[in-house]
Amino acid sequence: MAENRLQRLSEFGQSVWIDNLSRALVREGGLKRLMEEDAVVGVTSNPTIFQKALAEGDAYDEQLREVIATESDDTEVFLQLATRDVSDACDLLRPVWDRGGGRDGYVSIEVTPDLAYDTDGTIAQAQRLHDWIDKPNLLVKIPATEPGLAAIEEMIARGRSINVTLTFSLDRHAQVAEAYLRGLERLVEAGGDPSPVASVASFFVSRVDTEVDNRLDAIGGHDELRGRAAIANAKLAYQTYLQTFAGERWDALAAKGATAQRCLWASTSTKNPAYRDVMYVEELIGRDTVNTMPEETMRAFQDHGEIRGLTVEEDVEGARAILDALAQAGIDYDDVTATLEREGVEKFDASFNELLAEVARKREALVAA
C-alpha cells in the first residue's frame, strides 16, 4: 500500500485541513472520502470556491428558489446558502471534534469583507453567525486587521471560537495571540468556561514570498534570498506561539481548561512554478499546528512530499538571519506585511463582489424561469 503522507503529518502533531467547501463536496461524499483517505480533520471556506460551485451546477437552485421568495439582498442570500453548507459540514466533522475533545473537526466561515475595518460590525456579524449555525465545531473567521483585534478579543470573551485570518507579520501575530489571551482572561473572570473555546491564527505563507520576490526583482541580485522569506517568517511565528503559550500567565488559563491558539499555515500552494510545489508543507511540519491546503497541494504531497521531521523547528537562527539579510538588501519587512494585509482585504473584497454578482445572476435567472 502506498505511503499515506498526510496521515504521517498527523502523527507529527500537525492537523490537515482543506481549503475547499461546497455543497457537492459535502453531499456527494467528497469530504467524507478526504477524511477517510487523506487525514482531513477540518475545513475552511472562501468566496472564490463558493462562487465556482454556485456557477457550475444546480446544487443550490432549490434553496435559492426558497430564499429569493422572501429575500432580495444578495449578501443575505449568500449567507443563507453558505450557512447551510457550513452547518452540514460541521455535522459531518462533529465525530472528529468529539473524539479529539475539540482539537479538530472545525469548519470556518468568514465575516463579510466590508467589515474588515469595522470592529462593532464584525462583532455583530460574528455573533450572528455563531448563533445562526450554533455548532460547537464552528470557527468564525475574523481578519487580523487592527480593528479586528478588538473584535477577536470580544468574541473570545463571549466564549466563541474564532479563526483569525490574514495574519502576515510577526508583530501582528503577537497582537493576535494577546487578544486571544485577554479574551480568555475576561471569560474566566466573568465565571465562564474556556474549555470549549478554540482559536487558530491563520498565518499566510506563499503570498509573502510572492511580494518579497517581486521586490527583489526590482532591486536586482540577491538570488540566494528568493523563496526564503515566507518559511523563515512562519518559523519565527511558531516561536512566538511557543513563547506565548507557556509560563505563569498561560498556565493559569490552561488550569481552567483553556487550549492554546494554534498556528494555521494558510496560502500553502506554491505560486512560483520554479519552486517545489509542496515546499510550504514540507518545511512547516510542527507539533500543534494546522496546515490548510487546496486539494491540488494535498494530492501533490500525497504523491511526492518528503517528511524529515519537525521542520518548523529547524534552524530558527537561520530564519532570523534570512529576515536580517532581506533588510540589508533593502526589503522593508513592515511595508511588505502591511501591503499584504491591505491587499489581502482588497482581494477578499473583490472575490466577494464577484460572488455577489454570481448570486444576482443566478437569482435573476431563476426569477425569469
Side-chain angles (χ1 to χ4, degrees):
M1 184 176 177
E3 179 184 24
N4 191 320
R5 293 172 170 88
L6 292 171
Q7 182 61 48
R8 285 203 61 206
L9 289 182
S10 69
E11 294 168 6
F12 279 91
Q14 183 167 74
S15 300
V16 177
W17 294 6
I18 187 166
D19 185 23
N20 181 11
L21 179 62
S22 68
R23 190 156 297 183
L25 185 73
V26 175
R27 295 189 176 180
E28 295 175 11
L31 180 55
K32 188 172 187 294
R33 178 188 57 75
L34 289 166
M35 294 165 63
E36 294 171 348
E37 299 178 7
D38 298 301
V40 168
V41 291
V43 181
T44 54
S45 59
N46 66 68
T48 301
I49 291 171
F50 189 88
Q51 179 202 355
K52 183 179 179 183
L54 188 65
E56 288 185 346
D58 58 3
Y60 295 92
D61 287 5
E62 181 180 354
Q63 189 191 359
L64 257 174
R65 290 188 186 95
E66 297 172 2
V67 173
I68 63 177
T70 58
E71 183 59 63
S72 59
D73 181 82
D74 290 326
T75 297
E76 188 65 24
V77 171
F78 157 70
L79 288 173
Q80 293 205 32
L81 299 176
T83 51
R84 182 174 294 184
D85 287 353
V86 170
S87 181
D88 289 347
C90 282
D91 289 342
L92 188 59
L93 281 153
R94 179 63 186 270
V96 175
W97 188 88
D98 288 334
R99 286 195 302 270
R103 174 181 169 86
D104 285 301
Y106 291 98
V107 184
S108 296
I109 186 171
E110 197 153 2
V111 296
T112 53
D114 56 308
L115 302 174
Y117 302 106
D118 179 350
T119 300
D120 292 340
T122 295
I123 291 168
Q125 191 175 95
Q127 184 67 51
R128 183 189 179 206
L129 289 169
H130 266 294
D131 291 343
W132 191 349
I133 297 172
D134 195 24
K135 308 283 185 181
N137 55 331
L138 173 71
L139 292 174
V140 172
K141 294 167 78 173
I142 295 177
T145 57
E146 190 168 341
L149 295 172
I152 293 158
E153 178 184 335
E154 175 61 26
M155 293 309 298
I156 297 299
R158 294 184 185 190
R160 299 299 191 171
S161 296
I162 299 298
N163 176 342
V164 184
T165 189
L166 292 180
T167 313
F168 295 97
S169 79
L170 297 171
D171 285 347
R172 185 52 54 86
H173 179 225
Q175 292 172 334
V176 165
E178 177 64 21
Y180 180 60
L181 290 174
R182 286 198 304 264
L184 288 174
E185 288 166 343
R186 287 172 53 195
L187 176 62
V188 170
E189 287 167 6
D193 178 9
S195 61
V197 180
S199 184
V200 291
S202 292
F203 202 83
F204 280 57
V205 186
S206 67
R207 294 188 195 181
V208 175
D209 274 341
T210 300
E211 180 67 21
V212 168
D213 286 358
N214 286 341
R215 296 187 184 209
L216 288 172
D217 287 343
I219 292 170
H222 306 288
D223 288 349
E224 75 284 359
L225 296 175
R226 292 178 57 82
R228 306 289 299 282
I231 290 168
N233 198 39
K235 285 185 174 185
L236 296 179
Y238 186 71
Q239 291 300 305
T240 299
Y241 159 80
L242 293 176
Q243 293 159 13
T244 302
F245 297 99
E248 290 184 8
R249 184 184 184 190
W250 174 247
D251 289 345
L253 289 167
K256 297 286 187 179
T259 56
Q261 181 186 61
R262 290 182 290 172
C263 291
L264 180 152
W265 312 128
S267 183
T268 54
S269 61
T270 305
K271 305 299 189 290
N272 187 334
Y275 299 157
R276 187 166 168 81
D277 59 353
V278 290
M279 62 186 282
Y280 301 120
V281 183
E282 292 175 334
E283 301 300 324
L284 296 175
I285 301 170
R287 299 183 187 91
D288 298 321
T289 61
V290 179
N291 197 312
T292 182
M293 311 175 206
E295 191 162 359
E296 57 267 27
T297 302
M298 290 178 54
R299 294 284 152 257
F301 191 79
Q302 285 283 49
D303 180 67
H304 54 264
E306 296 178 0
I307 301 172
R308 64 175 189 271
L310 297 169
T311 49
V312 77
E313 298 183 47
E314 292 178 356
D315 196 17
V316 173
E317 288 308 311
R320 292 193 178 95
I322 287 168
L323 295 192
D324 289 343
L326 286 166
Q328 292 170 8
I331 302 298
D332 185 336
Y333 175 87
D334 291 337
D335 187 67
V336 166
T337 54
T339 297
L340 288 169
E341 180 184 294
R342 183 183 69 254
E343 290 182 349
V345 172
E346 291 170 353
K347 288 175 181 177
F348 178 36
D349 192 46
S351 292
F352 192 71
N353 287 333
E354 291 174 7
L355 166 61
L356 293 184
E358 183 60 37
V359 170
R361 187 197 67 77
K362 195 87 168 181
R363 174 171 52 79
E364 289 165 5
L366 289 174
V367 169

